[in-house]
Amino acid sequence: MNESTMDCYTSKISVLLLLLLSAMVLHKGKCSTHSCNGKDQSALLIFKHHVIDPFNYFSSWSDEKHCCAWKGVWCSNVTGRVTTLDLSNQYLEGEINLSLLQIEFLTYLNLSCNRFSAISLRNSEYQSLAIPSNAYANFSSLKYLDLSFNEDLQLDNLQWLSHLSSLKCLNLSAINLQSQTNWLQTMAMLPFLLELRLSMCRLKNINPSVMFVNFTSLATLDLSQNNFYSDLPYWLFNVSSDISHIDLSSNGLRGQIPKALLNLRKLKSLRLDDNALTGPIPDWLGKHQHLQNLNLTENLFNGSFPSSLGNLSSLTQFGVSSDSLSGNLPNSIGQLFNLRSLYIGGSLSGVLSEKHFSKLFNLESLVLLSAFSFDLDPNWIPPFQLREIDLRNTILGPTFPEWLYTQRTLETLDVSSSGISSINADRFWVLLANVRSIRLSKNKISADLSNVTLNSEYIIMNNNNFTGGLPLVSTNVFYLDLSYNFLSGPISHLLCSKLGREMNALYYLDVSHNLLTGGIPDCGENCRALALLKINNNKLGDETPSSMDLLNEGIGMDLNNNNLSGNSLEISNFKSLEYLNLAENKFSGVVPSKIPKSIQGLILRGNEFSGNIPAELCSLPSLRLLDLSQNKLSGSIPSCILNNSLLDGAGTIEYHLEFSFELFLRGREVVFQGGWVLGMLDLSTNNLSGEIPPQLFNLTQLSALNLSRNHLVGKISSNIGGMTNLEWLDLSNNHLSGEIPSSISNLSFLSSFNLSYNHFTGEIPLGGQLQSFDSWSYVGNPELCGPPLLTKNCSEEVNHEEAQQDGSNDSLNESFYIGIGVGYVAGFCGFWHSLLLSRAWRRIYFQFLDNIIDWLYVFVALKLNKFCELRASSR
Ligand SMILES: *[C@@H]1O[C@H](CO)[C@@H](O)[C@H](O)[C@H]1NC(C)=O
Ligand SMILES: *[C@@H]1O[C@H](CO)[C@@H](O)[C@H](O)[C@H]1NC(C)=O
Ligand SMILES: *[C@@H]1O[C@H](CO)[C@@H](O)[C@H](O)[C@H]1NC(C)=O
Ligand SMILES: *[C@@H]1O[C@H](CO)[C@@H](O)[C@H](O)[C@H]1NC(C)=O
Ligand SMILES: *[C@@H]1O[C@H](CO)[C@@H](O)[C@H](O)[C@H]1NC(C)=O
Ligand SMILES: *[C@@H]1O[C@H](CO)[C@@H](O)[C@H](O)[C@H]1NC(C)=O
Ligand SMILES: *[C@@H]1O[C@H](CO)[C@@H](O)[C@H](O)[C@H]1NC(C)=O
Ligand SMILES: *[C@@H]1O[C@H](CO)[C@@H](O)[C@H](O)[C@H]1NC(C)=O
Ligand SMILES: *[C@@H]1O[C@H](CO)[C@@H](O)[C@H](O)[C@H]1NC(C)=O
Ligand SMILES: *[C@@H]1O[C@H](CO)[C@@H](O)[C@H](O)[C@H]1NC(C)=O
């Protein structure tokens, strides 16, 4: 081909292209004449008008383009009418205007995973929708409706749904349907429904008064994570002969599994996990030949494990756990040749042999959490190659089993608490190097780690007998827990050795409770990713350079209980530090005053810090835990202390990640967790003098306050009554005086209380739980009187009153006992209170709130009953 023919050739192509292009333009032009139906477009615009759109998703919804070209909108290429609207996952807020239902040919509507907070039903025609109005749609086109995961959306009216008579697939999961008692009635009017998902809807009633549930074609029913707390409803077993998937997990369901389950002949997947089902695991379940997925974990089944389940030849996933089951797993389980995932937990026990695994050729995940022991030939070659092995709490030891070395595709291995003490070091570390996640904790494995190089991403090896120096870590290692072993030598061996050119990925390192020596290494360059470092309870002993270059971008460091020293520590270069524990060391000089603003917990207890408490502590907006106890601090408590911090409710917290550190507070182990709103101030055992600044009694978020063993004077402000979160209060061994303010009886969460050895005067206020504490809480105040100080009542002063009313003893007794009762329950509530405020809990908190309140109510009632009985019998 020469140049000219080439030109010719290309020009031919361009002509062709031009023709094609114009054809397309024409085509498009033709389409647009009838494409965007005016009614469809105006319905969409009304909808848009009510939506808040923070990321400007609707920018393409302009008049310049016709609506079939709008983002998220699709039209039929035949009729040009809107058929599909998918606006899922776009951070949309505001109101869903049901004008959308006027789009006659809409078959697919997906608004899931947004933040809509209302569905407007303002139009009265929609509310009473007994007869569909002509002005609105015929409603019969919509087949797919997905409104799930709009967590602020509450539906009080489902009537409009019952008119969507072509609906095949309805998903309202994670929408609040709390107020719906008749939800089933509405859904049952949708004759073509194939899939119904109402998971996490806070539904309460699984057995509403419907005589007939006629979902003739329903195939999938997902009612998981609601609040039913009842027996399995009978309608379920007549629901539809085509049903293949039922998910009723996490519903608090009770009672036995009825035999009517056998009616559902096409059932492939049945999830009943995380309920309170009782009775035996039925023998007849073995007849359910089509079952592929059967999950019965976390229930209250009793009796033994039926061997008939070995007949469920289609099973691919199978799980059972209950703490009332007894006996061994039958051999027949080894016949489930399709099984890919087996999960057995709870109180089963016994010896597992090769027969239990004989035909499990397809097994990928083996989770056995009961106290099984194993009788396997040392040369046994299993029929499977597993991805996941979890045998924690079984009796595997004392030697790491040979057959585990045959598994070459392992991704996760958990053999914690399984009695292993010896390993074949040559093969063991090679096996582990290729596994991504490893848990070996709570065994007695003896091995020298000096020459080991770890390579897994996630490694938990705490509580073993590992000795020698710290291992090396490859650049894959992200999370490493080696705590509670006998490792020695310097920490720099692990942190500062460079393997390969890439930077260390290590993010979490726990080497606490070992025998490590040396100092804090100075190789921050090598471990930029390190965010959480725990070296507490070791024997680190060097002088720490006044400015540490480790963890510059870290979040938490625990050096508690070592022998570290250093004068005038600088911590200002830890830019994002949230938690620092230097307790029980030999640090001296003044308390560091340049503290990163991000700090949430600062613990300097048990060192040799001296001088005043720096006023800079007042400007830490996130601080909620300050422990300066057992130092040599003097002067007065700065009057601004912790003002404008989280503790007076003013600060805000930025959560970075979940982390936790153990703390010892009044001899109890308390876990400080990212996101846990627990305020503590401990300045005890110092030489502090002067008055307690009155602002301190305004820190309403404080849950522990310890100022004991100082030289403080003055009174307790009556504002203390506003510190309603207080659980621990210790002001003992000071020179405080005046009366105990009666408002202190408002502190209903108090579980530990000490005012002893001061100069308090007058009567101990009555009420609340103040009398429920031991008299030790008040001793050493010679001028204090009243219960529980039994040796001394206030009768000298109130003699005349006693003469007036002789029945007073009874009523005093009554309030005394009720005081104890409420105090006891309140202490307990305090525990729950802080638990509930933990972040993990909060997420599920609202879902369970109602039940917890019910439960607490019962608890309180029982307790009070007990006290009444006690009182009656003591008469
Ligand atoms: C309409 O689109 C569908 C799917 O893209 C296609 O299968 C069908 O042939 C098209 N019909 C016409 C008339 O273009
Ligand atoms: C709706 O959209 C979400 C998120 O994009 C998707 O996961 C879901 O499958 C869609 N729903 C239906 C019914 O297709
Ligand atoms: C939708 O919005 C229009 C106008 O903003 C309003 O008149 C109508 O009542 C709303 N539709 C519904 C179903 O609430
Ligand atoms: C709704 O439309 C369908 C077909 O589009 C029609 O068969 C049905 O009769 C209509 N129903 C009403 C109540 O208008
Ligand atoms: C809602 O349920 C449908 C039908 O089961 C499913 O296809 C869809 O993925 C679900 N939506 C989301 C957001 O999970
Ligand atoms: C359920 O609905 C189908 C179709 O709508 C109907 O044929 C059948 O008779 C109904 N069954 C009962 C028991 O009402
Ligand atoms: C059963 O459900 C639980 C959650 O409740 C899950 O952790 C487990 O993996 C499931 N097991 C099987 C075999 O499906
Ligand atoms: C570690 O390796 C070094 C050098 O190869 C060797 O001298 C030492 O004995 C090994 N230590 C252990 C505990 O195996
Ligand atoms: C574990 O180490 C401790 C202390 O070094 C020792 O007393 C114990 O015998 C060891 N246990 C085993 C099983 O090796
Ligand atoms: C403490 O709070 C009370 C009531 O909110 C307020 O009147 C008082 O001024 C505050 N005291 C101090 C010292 O901030």
Side-chain angles (χ1 to χ4, degrees):
M1 230 188 270
N2 64 31
E3 209 172 284
S4 67
T5 52
M6 175 80 169
D7 266 346
C8 178
Y9 191 70
T10 45
S11 71
K12 237 182 207 164
I13 290 184
S14 17
V15 169
L16 261 173
L17 271 177
L18 210 74
L19 275 173
L20 212 72
L21 213 72
S22 53
M24 275 165 69
V25 168
L26 273 177
H27 184 70
K28 191 118 190 168
K30 191 185 117 229
C31 252
S32 61
T33 53
H34 79 268
S35 69
C36 201
N37 178 284
K39 279 198 288 179
D40 293 357
Q41 176 148 347
S42 67
L44 287 171
L45 287 174
I46 292 175
F47 169 77
K48 175 191 159 190
H49 179 74
H50 293 85
V51 178
I52 301 166
D53 175 21
F55 294 97
N56 213 5
Y57 179 84
F58 287 130
S59 57
S60 72
W61 286 36
S62 68
D63 289 335
E64 283 134 49
K65 295 185 195 165
H66 66 76
C67 67
C68 299
W70 292 354
K71 231 161 125 188
V73 181
W74 283 268
C75 296
S76 153
N77 53 4
V78 183
T79 60
R81 299 292 298 267
V82 174
T83 56
T84 294
L85 183 59
D86 184 352
L87 304 177
S88 60
N89 222 341
Q90 302 299 340
Y91 303 95
L92 303 177
E93 297 168 32
E95 194 178 284
I96 300 173
N97 183 298
L98 286 182
S99 64
L100 286 179
L101 298 181
Q102 295 171 48
I103 303 175
E104 275 170 84
F105 296 96
L106 192 66
T107 56
Y108 180 98
L109 176 57
N110 193 343
L111 302 177
S112 69
C113 311
N114 281 297
R115 296 168 181 171
F116 287 110
S117 52
I119 288 194
S120 77
L121 294 164
R122 264 176 285 138
N123 193 315
S124 59
E125 276 162 291
Y126 275 90
Q127 274 168 26
S128 57
L129 274 178
I131 311 145
S133 154
N134 286 340
Y136 289 93
N138 168 334
F139 302 122
S140 59
S141 300
L142 203 61
K143 294 196 169 94
Y144 300 87
L145 177 59
D146 192 344
L147 302 179
S148 60
F149 298 94
N150 281 286
E151 293 181 30
D152 295 331
L153 187 58
Q154 171 157 0
L155 282 190
D156 293 323
N157 186 336
L158 291 180
Q159 272 293 306
W160 57 278
L161 274 176
S162 60
H163 296 273
L164 306 177
S165 56
S166 307
L167 222 48
K168 279 176 150 171
C169 167
L170 175 62
N171 195 338
L172 303 179
S173 296
I175 289 183
N176 186 347
L177 300 181
Q178 199 171 17
S179 61
Q180 296 299 317
T181 48
N182 243 346
W183 58 274
L184 188 58
Q185 187 69 76
T186 312
M187 309 296 163
M189 287 165 80
L190 302 170
F192 301 112
L193 210 55
L194 285 173
E195 300 195 18
L196 176 61
R197 291 196 191 271
L198 301 172
S199 175
M200 297 178 270
C201 289
R202 306 191 210 178
L203 292 170
K204 287 181 189 140
N205 194 352
I206 199 178
N207 208 1
S209 56
V210 226
M211 299 314 285
F212 251 88
V213 179
N214 189 8
F215 298 115
T216 41
S217 37
L218 199 66
T220 298
L221 177 64
D222 179 0
L223 294 174
S224 58
Q225 299 184 59
N226 284 291
N227 303 328
F228 295 132
Y229 299 94
S230 68
D231 287 7
L232 285 164
Y234 197 73
W235 62 261
L236 188 66
F237 306 103
N238 281 335
V239 66
S240 147
S241 53
D242 283 337
I243 197 143
S244 60
H245 292 77
I246 295 180
D247 188 347
L248 288 168
S249 55
S250 304
N251 272 312
L253 293 170
R254 301 183 292 239
Q256 303 199 12
I257 304 181
K259 199 167 179 180
L261 184 67
L262 288 177
N263 296 351
L264 308 177
R265 284 167 198 275
K266 295 193 181 161
L267 204 57
K268 286 184 183 160
S269 171
L270 178 62
R271 287 196 56 179
L272 295 173
D273 45 289
D274 189 18
N275 281 299
L277 297 170
T278 50
I281 296 174
D283 197 41
W284 47 257
L285 258 183
K287 294 186 187 157
H288 238 302
Q289 297 289 336
H290 300 290
L291 270 181
Q292 293 175 0
N293 178 8
L294 178 60
N295 197 335
L296 303 176
T297 55
E298 290 181 65
N299 276 289
L300 304 174
F301 297 117
N302 55 29
S304 60
F305 195 100
S307 66
S308 65
L309 296 190
N311 298 337
L312 294 173
S313 54
S314 309
L315 269 191
T316 60
Q317 297 188 323
F318 179 44
V320 171
S321 69
S322 155
D323 285 335
S324 324
L325 286 171
S326 55
N328 198 357
L329 207 57
N331 289 344
S332 62
I333 211 88
Q335 302 299 310
L336 298 173
F337 58 88
N338 277 311
L339 206 58
R340 289 206 299 267
S341 158
L342 177 63
Y343 180 113
I344 306 286
S347 52
L348 290 166
S349 62
V351 180
L352 302 185
S353 67
E354 287 149 36
K355 281 193 183 140
H356 287 94
F357 306 102
S358 58
K359 292 192 179 155
L360 304 183
F361 312 111
N362 291 303
L363 201 64
E364 292 171 358
S365 163
L366 176 64
V367 182
L368 301 174
L369 307 178
S370 305
F372 295 120
S373 52
F374 296 83
D375 175 21
L376 300 168
D377 187 308
N379 299 319
W380 179 56
I381 311 274
F384 43 70
Q385 282 292 332
L386 300 175
R387 274 190 303 101
E388 178 187 19
I389 296 182
D390 186 349
L391 301 174
R392 73 192 119 114
N393 304 324
T394 58
I395 303 157
L396 268 187
T399 307
F400 187 78
E402 284 292 315
W403 66 268
L404 285 173
Y405 293 116
T406 67
Q407 301 298 300
R408 290 178 309 270
T409 52
L410 269 187
E411 287 168 17
T412 71
L413 172 68
D414 188 343
V415 291
S416 318
S417 309
S418 59
I420 297 173
S421 56
S422 75
I423 55 169
N424 175 341
D426 290 340
R427 302 170 74 191
F428 187 74
W429 301 113
V430 174
L431 173 77
L432 260 50
N434 296 312
V435 181
R436 286 178 51 191
S437 160
I438 296 165
R439 291 166 185 263
L440 305 174
S441 58
K442 299 189 183 152
N443 282 295
K444 293 236 159 48
I445 304 176
S446 297
D448 188 311
L449 297 188
S450 312
N451 289 346
V452 169
T453 300
L454 298 171
N455 185 45
S456 310
E457 284 166 34
Y458 189 84
I459 306 169
I460 299 189
M461 311 203 328
N462 59 297
N463 294 78
N464 274 290
N465 255 20
F466 291 120
T467 55
L470 289 172
L472 293 177
V473 293
S474 80
T475 51
N476 287 332
V477 179
F478 175 78
Y479 188 106
L480 176 59
D481 183 350
L482 290 167
S483 59
Y484 294 93
N485 279 294
F486 299 92
L487 298 165
S488 53
I491 189 164
S492 55
H493 180 61
L494 190 155
L495 280 183
C496 305
S497 309
K498 246 184 140 165
L499 296 183
R501 241 174 293 141
E502 280 174 71
M503 221 176 47
N504 221 319
L506 200 61
Y507 176 82
Y508 179 99
L509 177 64
D510 185 351
V511 288
S512 63
H513 299 272
N514 277 290
L515 307 167
L516 301 172
T517 50
I520 306 293
D522 212 8
C523 54
E525 276 305 314
N526 195 32
C527 33
R528 280 266 171 269
L530 196 61
L532 297 154
L533 177 61
K534 296 178 68 173
I535 326 179
N536 51 298
N537 299 78
N538 276 289
K539 299 194 180 319
L540 301 193
D542 287 1
E543 177 136 346
T544 305
S546 67
S547 101
M548 289 183 250
D549 174 43
L550 190 65
L551 224 68
N552 279 353
E553 279 144 71
I555 289 172
M557 178 152 79
D558 193 343
L559 301 177
N560 177 20
N561 208 350
N562 278 288
N563 254 322
L564 293 164
S565 55
N567 201 342
S568 307
L569 208 61
E570 269 285 350
I571 56 173
S572 57
N573 51 341
F574 296 106
K575 292 177 207 66
S576 39
L577 203 65
E578 292 176 12
Y579 177 87
L580 179 64
N581 190 343
L582 302 179
E584 315 293 344
N585 278 291
K586 296 207 172 72
F587 290 106
S588 55
V590 292
V591 171
S593 57
K594 285 189 190 142
I595 297 172
K597 289 261 187 283
S598 51
I599 200 88
Q600 294 176 23
L602 179 63
I603 298 164
L604 306 179
R605 184 188 63 243
N607 279 287
E608 290 162 12
F609 288 108
S610 54
N612 291 345
I613 297 177
E616 282 85 352
L617 289 180
C618 297
S619 50
L620 298 172
S622 303
L623 197 66
R624 59 203 165 115
L625 192 167
L626 178 64
D627 184 348
L628 303 179
S629 64
Q630 298 171 44
N631 278 291
K632 297 174 177 161
L633 301 174
S634 53
S636 57
I637 302 175
S639 63
C640 61
I641 198 156
L642 303 187
N643 252 359
N644 303 315
S645 74
L646 278 177
L647 295 176
D648 69 355
T652 54
I653 201 160
E654 270 186 52
Y655 299 114
H656 287 108
L657 74 165
E658 300 281 345
F659 62 92
S660 67
F661 287 95
E662 69 250 43
L663 278 177
F664 287 87
L665 189 86
R666 298 190 55 86
R668 283 172 58 175
E669 190 175 335
V670 175
V671 179
F672 176 88
Q673 240 174 350
W676 195 9
V677 186
L678 175 77
M680 291 192 213
L681 177 61
D682 192 342
L683 304 177
S684 63
T685 320
N686 276 293
N687 293 319
L688 299 171
S689 53
E691 296 200 4
I692 302 177
Q695 287 92 333
L696 210 143
F697 295 108
N698 275 14
L699 299 177
T700 53
Q701 304 302 307
L702 212 54
S703 70
L705 175 61
N706 189 349
L707 303 177
S708 66
R709 295 177 197 277
N710 279 295
H711 310 294
L712 300 169
V713 296
K715 295 179 176 178
I716 301 180
S717 155
S718 69
N719 284 345
I720 196 169
M723 300 175 79
T724 49
N725 290 303
L726 265 190
E727 292 171 40
W728 294 278
L729 176 62
D730 190 348
L731 303 177
S732 65
N733 291 286
N734 277 294
H735 310 298
L736 300 171
S737 57
E739 296 203 345
I740 300 173
S742 62
S743 64
I744 212 164
S745 59
N746 293 345
L747 306 183
S748 51
F749 287 137
L750 270 187
S751 60
S752 172
F753 180 63
N754 195 347
L755 298 182
S756 62
Y757 300 99
N758 276 292
H759 307 304
F760 291 116
T761 53
E763 192 172 354
I764 296 171
L766 278 181
Q769 47 187 331
L770 296 181
Q771 277 69 34
S772 69
F773 297 107
D774 210 87
S775 58
W776 287 111
S777 297
Y778 305 95
V779 294
N781 290 286
E783 288 169 54
L784 202 61
C785 64
L789 284 174
L790 299 176
T791 49
K792 199 164 188 284
N793 56 31
C794 305
S795 53
E796 290 94 83
E797 294 97 287
V798 291
N799 232 345
H800 54 287
E801 277 178 37
E802 204 175 17
Q804 262 179 350
Q805 25 172 289
D806 44 14
S808 69
N809 235 2
D810 256 3
S811 63
L812 180 68
N813 255 342
E814 191 140 348
S815 70
F816 180 57
Y817 280 113
I818 287 175
I820 293 176
V822 171
Y824 190 97
V825 173
F828 181 83
C829 291
F831 166 75
W832 271 102
H833 173 71
S834 31
L835 193 68
L836 288 176
L837 288 174
S838 100
R839 200 177 170 210
W841 257 96
R842 226 174 330 165
R843 227 175 297 135
I844 41 175
Y845 172 63
F846 290 108
Q847 202 173 335
F848 291 111
L849 186 65
D850 294 342
N851 312 319
I852 282 173
I853 286 178
D854 280 357
W855 187 78
L856 269 182
Y857 175 78
V858 171
F859 186 87
V860 171
L862 276 178
K863 271 293 162 206
L864 288 180
N865 245 347
K866 258 258 162 63
F867 280 106
C868 297
E869 278 168 29
L870 208 78
R871 228 191 109 205
S873 65
S874 71
R875 278 191 175 166

